[in-house]
Amino acid sequence: MTRALFIIDPQNCFMDFEGGDMPLPVPGALADMKRLATYIRNDPHRFDAIYVTLDTHPVDHISHANRWVDGDGNNPDPFTLITHGEYKRKIWRATKPTDQVLQDFYLRRLEEEGRIHTIWPIHGQKGEFEYEVEAELSDALDRWSELTGNQVVYVEKGMHRDTEQFGIFAATVPVPGAPETYLNRKLVDEVNQFDEVEFAGEAESHCAKDSIDQ
């Protein structure tokens, strides 16, 4: 029996630290990481492979407010929902004129998938504390590597500026001409080599959910 563990976005960005200074804290996330770290430590040889996703965005990612303006040139607040209909009525527009057609395409395709675009606080910034894996889980992963001789596989997602990517295997709306936003068949093939795959991470409503669905 071979078994892999996928840990979705266990980054400080999503931790509900006391003081609430992270961009996108998920209620209960820090407790999740402590339980997960204990789970790995208690039975390190349970897993033949561990994959960890890292939400990774450029500053001008399509989910960030700086890509959008209203009629007065103001950026939307975090957690604003932007519909395709509002975009067509010019309630919201792309900040850069060169992105107008692309963002129209994105919103339309997104709604065809039954989703509405959400503006998130800037997050997923490499080199920042918020990008790093939560400390207790990181220690458990290091210990797993020492005991098993295997390396944790880190998978960055969401790097393309023009599309959201919650799930590990593909962007929500693939971008024509950008193969990295389409289904990651290599990773799918790797997953299919295991008899069982377990998923953990953040958040049940978005990235963990989409990864499992995909």
Side-chain angles (χ1 to χ4, degrees), residues 182-210:
Y182 285 78
L183 182 66
N184 187 339
R185 294 190 180 277
K186 178 179 181 294
L187 188 56
V188 171
D189 289 342
E190 287 185 33
V191 174
N192 284 335
Q193 294 176 9
F194 298 99
D195 299 307
E196 291 185 358
V197 178
E198 297 183 16
F199 282 87
E202 307 304 330
E204 183 181 23
S205 59
H206 289 81
C207 298
K209 177 184 183 298
D210 273 24

Side-chain angles (χ1 to χ4, degrees), residues 27-204:
L30 194 57
D32 289 344
M33 296 302 105
K34 294 182 183 301
R35 286 192 299 271
L36 182 56
T38 299
Y39 183 54
I40 294 168
R41 288 194 190 104
N42 286 347
D43 191 5
H45 296 285
R46 176 178 179 81
F47 300 109
D48 300 281
I50 295 180
Y51 294 80
V52 175
T53 70
L54 299 171
D55 211 35
T56 309
H57 302 308
V59 173
D60 66 339
H61 188 251
I62 200 165
S63 68
H64 297 160
N66 56 26
R67 285 288 297 270
W68 308 83
V69 290
D70 63 15
D72 296 320
N74 300 310
N75 300 122
D77 293 327
F79 309 109
T80 298
L81 301 180
I82 297 179
T83 69
H84 186 237
E86 290 172 335
Y87 193 80
K88 297 299 286 185
R89 297 195 302 275
K90 299 185 179 181
I91 295 173
W92 296 108
R93 301 294 289 159
T95 302
K96 294 182 178 180
T98 52
D99 289 333
Q100 297 291 0
V101 173
L102 182 149
Q103 288 179 217
D104 177 89
F105 166 82
Y106 176 77
L107 291 174
R108 177 171 55 81
R109 285 291 309 276
L110 197 65
E111 292 191 17
E112 289 172 357
E113 298 294 324
R115 298 172 181 261
I116 301 297
H117 184 57
T118 302
I119 299 298
W120 304 114
I122 290 178
H123 65 288
Q125 303 297 290
K126 277 188 173 183
E128 301 292 337
F129 172 76
E130 59 102 349
Y131 182 81
E132 298 171 6
V133 172
E134 189 277 327
E136 188 166 344
L137 177 62
S138 181
D139 287 344
L141 293 173
D142 288 344
R143 182 61 175 158
W144 174 83
S145 291
E146 292 173 5
L147 291 173
T148 65
N150 297 320
Q151 295 298 312
V152 176
V153 179
Y154 291 93
V155 182
E156 294 180 332
K157 65 180 181 65
M159 291 85 73
H160 199 289
R161 70 183 291 272
D162 296 327
T163 186
E164 183 64 272
Q165 182 169 346
F166 296 118
I168 183 175
F169 297 104
T172 307
V173 175
V175 177
E180 69 274 19
T181 65
Y182 285 78
L183 182 66
N184 187 339
R185 294 190 180 277
K186 178 179 181 294
L187 188 56
V188 171
D189 289 342
E190 287 185 33
V191 174
N192 284 335
Q193 294 176 9
F194 298 99
D195 299 307
E196 291 185 358
V197 178
E198 297 183 16
F199 282 87
E202 307 304 330
E204 183 181 23

